[in-house]
Structure formats: structure tokens, C-alpha cells
Amino acid sequence: MLEKPTHFIRTKIAEQIKQGQLDVPVTRFPPEPNGYLHIGHAKSICLNFGLAQEFGGRCHLRFDDTNPAKESQEYIDAIEADVRWLGFQWDALHHASDYFETLYQWAVHLIQHGDAYVDEQSAEAIRATRGTLTEPGVESPYRDRATAENVARFSQMRAGELPDGAAVLRAKISMASPNLNLRDPIIYRIKHVSHPRAGDAWCIYPTYDFAHGQSDAIEGITHSLCTLEFEDHRPLYEWFLKKLPVPSKPKQTEFSRLELEGTVTSKRKLNTLVTEGYVQGWDDPRMPTIAGLRRRGYSPEGIRLFCERIGVTRKPNTIEYQILEGAVRDDLEGRAQKGLAVLDPIRVVVDNWTESPLALEIPWHPKHPEYGSRVAYFGPELWIDRSDFEEDPPEGFFRLTPGGSVRLKYGFIVDHVETIRVDGRIETLIVRYDPATRSGQDQSGRKVKGTIHWVDANTAQRVAIRWYGPLFTVPDPARADELASVINPESLIKRTAWVEPAMAVCQPDAYWQFERLGFFKQDPESTPKHVVYNLTVGLKDQWAKKQS
RNA sequence: UGGGGUGUGGCCAAGUGGUUAAGGCAGCGGGUUUUGAUCCCGCCAUUCGUAGGUUCGAAUCCUACCACCCCAGCCA
């Protein structure tokens, strides 16, 4: 019913197709395998794969693996798994490293046409002569060496005759360009490092600028989508495509990257969190990585809904974290099995319960009978949550109070009789149940204001709960000087809960709602003997909001 | 300071000279409800960074100014 919100890239593609300038779009998602994918990548994945899908085009997964010093097979595997988990399948899988030979030949082509030269200045000298934002750079003394000499030197670089840093290949553009990227950019450097895929075949590697556009061209990419910080690279991207005999002419289009309130999304900072032990790994449920969100219990559909809601523009933006949570709640609402769990128990004794425990058959979801049902027991001794009883209730409190009544969901209405304290702490509530008020067959006509959750103390099972809060104490941790100074010491609280027997079963793939509390998912560490639930996100709670 | 961008309600975001400036999230009010959830309904920008100008008519065109973001890796 709701139309997909449009954005400038979708509009542009639709227009190009309409004008007959484009058959179908071909896009690519081009991660560098130097870390795990995060929520910002999800935006790009949804955009690239989504657009291809929508217009009947193709989308490639291409690893931008041009810097072996930082890359690894672990990351390659994790990235593939994350893209699949998000629900996308690539039409082709490529690696920039597949094109190393072609790229090398094209570098030679540049040299032969006087468009590139081997510079043997030190890294420091190159930096010192690049100029500044306001002053032009200084041309290298090697800039005008003979073509033959360049060719020879470059092949020595390839042959491994020169050590790291001894020479680089530079495009010969202009040291006076106001765009720093055009001041004779480095396009090949020597790295005697073996490559996760190419092994030891190479000791020189192309830079991003020299690899990316040409890879796009080789693959017939029509729309090369990237984030805004690459905008200044576009003239260079186009310069190579113009100078080289490439098979197609892709166009680069930039959009703004996702910033999420309360998180960091730079791989460097995420890496710091992992290596300095602030979290337990890239897939820690507090991490904004795809792997972390998955473990936390976010669904792929929820993340895709989020990406749809935030839009695509060129405007700097910081999305409120609630938008992610809202999208996930909206998806989980219809997806989760809903059961009863008590986190902070008070014992409730039903003093007029004389029969044996009553088996109640309860559907897992009120709107989805196809999810099936389970049996839970109601008996003489129950647990309810501490927050559902108030001796001195504030205005508008409609849970259990002294002398008051409340419905135990799926069970009966109970009336409070007595409060028993031990050392000042409320330990037990004596209540009386009203047999005429059984759920689904209530003949009493009684109405109570509140309905609360509960579990039967005699059949309930204990499970572990990992209760997560924000990883950081500030909305903009990326701006903090020291990440350590803004870490939330209470981002993980280990708790326990009493759950009905059917929820103490190891089911790591299911999504759960603990009624009135939140959405939960079992951690992969969960076993049949030790079930562990992660808090995905709490339910909206107007009462709590009103209280604060 | 040179270059490249961006400015529409609390957060996103449509809109590209002509009905009362879409929509989502949040918020507020109401209804339904055996989850204070979900669901449903209603309300929520005389105004589009600011100041001028063009025009019968401007968020949309022009001028100036202001604010913020990116760029000086042999990272991507």
C-alpha cells in the first residue's frame, strides 16, 4: 500500500531507462576485506542489490582487495556470510585481485602514453612536495624521465628487484590542481606482502584509485555508487577511464554515508573496541556490525526496513537510534513467538488453589495461529515481576496493589490478600484467584484495569539473560577523544529469568517476545542445558516513560 | 585560506516556478485491546540556513552572506 520512498538515484535510473539510455542497471557492492561489515554497509548493500533487483539488473559482490597488508580470508568469509544473511545473492563474485594482470598492463599503457612515471622519491619527499590546500605542489625530479626508463623501472618493481618504498608509479596529471587527488596520484606501490588470494604472485599492488574504476569498467558496472568522501576522486576515476582502453564507461554517483546516533561506524574504531577488549568480538551483540546485530536478534527484514526508512540523499545525516529499533520492533512484532518470562521475581501464593496445576494451551502469537501453541501451567505458586506490584501505587498504576486485583494473562483474575516481608523486603504475596474468570471462558463479567505476566513456580525453568544497553554514554562517541572515556560500564548486565518450560528449549533460530518486556533471541552459546537469551530491544513502554 | 559538497519541523525525507509544503520515525490526543505492546483514528512547518532581488506568483530562478561536512595515506 505504501509506495517505496524514492530517492535521486532510483529516479535517475528510472529516467535513463525511460529515455532508452540504459537497458538494466548493473551495480556492485565493493567492500575491502579488512574488517566486518557494519550497519553503514547495510545501507550500501540494500541500495546496490535493491536497485538491481528492482530494475531487473545485476549486482556483483566485489572485494576491493588491493591492500594485502590489511586484508584477510577471515574477513572475506564473514562479509559473504553477512551479505547472504541480509537476504541478497550476488549475480557474480569478483575480486579486484582478479584484474591485477590487466591493471598492470594498463599501467604500462599509461607509461607508454606519457601518462605515468616511476617516482623514486621517499614517501616523506612525496608528502612534502604535494603542496597544501592553498599552495600547489612541486613536480618530482623523476617526472620527465624517458618512457623506456619508466617501463624498465616499473618491470623491475614488479620483478621484486626493489624494496618496499623504493619507488612508486604515479599518474602524470598536474601538481598544481586544486584537487589534491589529481596531484600526480600514486597508482602502484611496492609491498612485499603475500595476498590472501593472489598469494605471492605480486609484490606491487594498485591503489584504490587505479583499481576501482577499471574494475567497474571490466565488469560492465553502469552505476558505481559510493559515499560522499569519494566525490573528489571522481575526476580521477574518469581520467583513467578516458586514458585507458576500457570495455565500458561506468559512472560514479555519490550518496551520504549513514551516521547512527550513539554508535561508531569506522572500521578503525570498531577494531579498537575489539582489540582493546571493550567488547568480546566483532559479533558482540553491542556492536553495530551486521554480525553483532544478528547475534543481538535483529532480523534481516528489520534491517532492510530500516534502510528503506532512512532514505538516500547527499545530505549529512545522523539517524536517531530509535529508528533502527523501531524498524526492528515493527518486523519482530509479527515474527516473534510470544511467551511469558519473569526477570525479577516475587513469589505469589494462590491460597485458594486446591486442584492440581492447570494445563493451559496458549498460542504463540495471537494473530498467527499457524505459529502453533504450547502448554503452560497455572498452579498454587507463581512468580510475577517485582515491578508489577506496588504497595504505595502512584496515580494511574493498574497492576497489583494491596487489596487490589489484576489479571494474570491467559489465567485468572487474582485478588491481593496479604504481603509478606522478610527483612523489610517483599518476599511473598498471598492472593486468591477467582475461578469464574478463567481466560477465554470468563463468566464473571469482572473487569480489571491491568493484566500482567507470570510463570508457574513449580514448572518454570531458569535461563540466563544478557541485558544490553548502549555501548556508549554519549550520543556522539565518534567525536570523543578517547573511546574509553565514553564506554558505558553497564552495556551488558547478566541476569536470569524464570520462563515457562517451552521457552527453556534451545532454539537458536527463533525470535521471541517476552510479553510486556521485549524481544529476545537465544545467543549462539545457548545449549540445551544452558539456555541464554539476548535482549534484542525492549517493548515500547508508555508507563515507564510517563514515570520518568 | 584552495577545491568539492550540503542546508525543508526533534530525527530522516519528498518537492526542481502556480491547489491549503507528501510521507516515515518521534511527540501529543482519542479509540480498540486479557501485552501500559500491537492495531486504528486525529493533531503536529503561514514556512523551506539568512538577507536582498526577479516574477501576477518562489522551498524551487538570481545575488550576497552564514553554518556544517569532505580532501594535503605509498588506506579504502
Side-chain angles (χ1 to χ4, degrees):
Chain A
M1 187 179 139
L2 280 176
E3 272 180 43
K4 240 185 187 175
T6 195
H7 54 70
F8 73 105
I9 303 177
R10 175 181 285 129
T11 306
K12 183 169 151 191
I13 292 176
E15 186 61 19
Q16 290 172 325
I17 292 174
K18 193 176 156 196
Q19 306 276 296
Q21 299 159 358
L22 178 70
D23 180 16
V24 292
V26 183
T27 58
R28 100 270 90 115
F29 172 61
E32 184 192 11
N34 67 342
Y36 279 61
L37 261 25
H38 55 66
I39 186 71
H41 293 110
K43 176 180 180 179
S44 175
I45 292 168
C46 290
L47 215 211
N48 280 291
F49 282 93
L51 249 16
Q53 228 163 54
E54 192 177 325
F55 290 102
R58 296 184 298 283
C59 182
H60 301 177
L61 174 61
R62 183 174 73 236
F63 288 99
D64 229 326
D65 54 352
T66 56
N67 185 3
K70 295 186 173 181
E71 298 157 8
S72 76
Q73 190 62 41
E74 177 199 351
Y75 296 135
I76 294 177
D77 296 341
I79 288 168
E80 290 187 25
D82 287 347
V83 173
R84 271 199 220 95
W85 178 78
L86 270 177
F88 298 104
Q89 187 49 251
W90 43 91
D91 295 285
L93 174 63
H94 296 294
H95 304 78
S97 55
D98 297 339
Y99 313 133
F100 279 173
E101 184 59 39
T102 305
L103 291 169
Y104 177 83
Q105 294 305 332
W106 281 344
V108 172
H109 182 280
L110 246 28
I111 293 171
Q112 284 168 338
H113 288 76
D115 291 320
Y117 61 95
V118 173
D119 194 342
E120 294 178 52
Q121 295 183 101
S122 67
E124 301 75 59
I126 289 175
R127 192 185 325 120
T129 53
R130 187 151 23 229
T132 67
L133 294 179
T134 52
E135 303 153 38
V138 176
E139 296 186 351
S140 165
Y142 297 90
R143 199 171 197 264
D144 292 313
R145 68 202 306 185
T147 299
E149 192 186 349
N150 275 315
V151 172
R153 214 59 184 137
F154 188 46
S155 74
Q156 284 174 338
M157 283 169 64
R158 176 180 186 169
E161 291 168 27
L162 275 55
D164 287 10
V168 291
L169 186 68
R170 289 232 252 174
K172 192 170 174 180
I173 304 178
S174 164
M175 290 308 290
S177 172
N179 181 343
L180 292 286
N181 297 119
L182 263 23
R183 316 246 260 231
D184 289 9
I186 287 160
I187 62 177
Y188 262 95
R189 68 288 215 204
I190 302 171
K191 281 178 190 284
H192 289 270
V193 172
S194 80
H195 187 280
R197 295 196 79 250
D200 295 319
W202 295 88
C203 63
I204 58 171
Y205 294 96
T207 57
Y208 163 85
D209 284 310
F210 193 66
H212 202 95
Q214 287 87 296
S215 301
D216 286 340
I218 291 168
E219 295 179 21
I221 300 301
T222 57
H223 297 262
S224 182
L225 311 180
C226 63
T227 46
L228 244 25
E229 64 269 28
F230 292 101
E231 194 159 21
D232 289 341
H233 293 246
R234 188 171 3 122
L236 184 53
Y237 182 102
E238 288 168 352
W239 190 86
F240 290 127
L241 295 183
K242 192 180 83 198
K243 294 283 184 184
L244 295 169
V246 292
S248 77
K249 302 277 187 192
K251 284 273 185 269
Q252 174 177 308
T253 301
E254 311 85 14
F255 61 93
S256 47
R257 58 184 301 148
L258 165 67
E259 300 294 346
L260 233 203
E261 196 177 274
T263 68
V264 295
T265 46
S266 98
K267 279 190 197 165
R268 208 197 93 243
K269 287 184 170 139
L270 293 175
N271 210 314
T272 302
L273 292 171
V274 173
T275 55
E276 293 184 12
Y278 294 113
V279 297
Q280 282 157 21
W282 285 96
D283 69 341
D284 187 294
R286 293 163 292 184
M287 291 282 273
T289 50
I290 305 297
L293 297 172
R294 171 171 60 230
R295 189 168 171 186
R296 176 82 173 252
Y298 285 37
S299 59
E301 293 84 354
I303 293 172
R304 281 190 255 134
L305 178 60
F306 167 74
C307 290
E308 211 168 278
R309 284 183 178 173
I310 59 175
V312 179
T313 66
R314 294 169 61 84
K315 194 175 103 182
N317 61 82
T318 304
I319 309 291
E320 294 172 327
Y321 200 80
Q322 290 85 321
I323 297 201
L324 212 206
E325 294 188 325
V328 168
R329 278 195 198 99
D330 285 354
D331 179 66
L332 259 24
E333 167 57 30
R335 187 179 302 282
Q337 305 186 109
K338 302 181 175 192
L340 302 177
V342 171
L343 273 93
D344 185 10
I346 307 184
R347 195 161 73 111
V348 171
V349 171
V350 184
D351 76 347
N352 58 335
W353 187 273
T354 52
E355 312 97 88
S356 51
L358 176 65
L360 301 168
E361 185 174 350
I362 308 170
W364 280 120
H365 192 118
K367 292 177 185 168
H368 292 283
E370 72 276 17
Y371 292 2
S373 61
R374 84 289 190 180
V375 170
Y377 293 91
F378 190 99
E381 190 181 340
L382 310 170
W383 298 116
I384 67 167
D385 253 310
R386 193 159 287 276
S387 58
D388 287 334
F389 177 75
E390 281 289 346
E391 282 210 296
D392 185 17
E395 183 78 15
F397 184 84
F398 46 81
R399 279 107 98 148
L400 193 59
T401 57
S405 306
V406 75
R407 174 173 289 281
L408 299 179
K409 192 164 187 187
Y410 306 121
F412 299 85
I413 291 176
V414 297
D415 306 304
H416 173 272
V417 174
E418 191 185 347
T419 302
I420 298 172
R421 292 171 168 278
V422 175
D423 297 332
R425 180 178 165 87
I426 298 170
E427 203 69 13
T428 302
L429 266 19
I430 308 293
V431 304
R432 191 153 293 158
Y433 89 106
D434 181 345
T437 59
R438 180 171 171 182
S439 280
Q441 41 202 85
D442 189 333
Q443 309 294 327
S444 72
R446 288 183 67 181
K447 289 272 181 269
V448 288
K449 198 82 168 115
T451 299
I452 64 174
H453 60 279
W454 54 278
V455 291
D456 171 57
N458 293 311
T459 53
Q461 306 279 310
R462 200 119 135 133
V463 296
I465 300 290
R466 294 180 186 165
W467 188 270
Y468 294 106
L471 224 204
F472 299 104
T473 54
V474 295
D476 194 356
R479 282 190 188 273
D481 299 325
E482 274 293 327
L483 233 37
S485 67
V486 294
I487 290 277
N488 174 13
E490 301 196 314
S491 60
L492 165 58
I493 299 173
K494 295 194 171 182
R495 309 174 65 170
T496 59
W498 289 106
V499 299
E500 31 172 318
M503 295 166 70
V505 174
C506 185
Q507 268 185 263
D509 293 332
Y511 293 95
W512 299 87
Q513 181 189 108
F514 293 5
E515 293 207 41
R516 302 212 307 132
L517 295 174
F519 292 101
F520 290 80
K521 186 143 198 310
Q522 287 182 14
D523 192 84
E525 289 176 357
S526 206
T527 65
K529 283 211 154 69
H530 184 68
V531 171
V532 181
Y533 280 96
N534 289 324
L535 170 68
T536 305
V537 59
L539 256 31
K540 274 201 255 177
D541 188 345
Q542 287 202 48
W543 172 248
K545 197 194 291 174
K546 208 173 291 175
Q547 292 307 291
S548 63

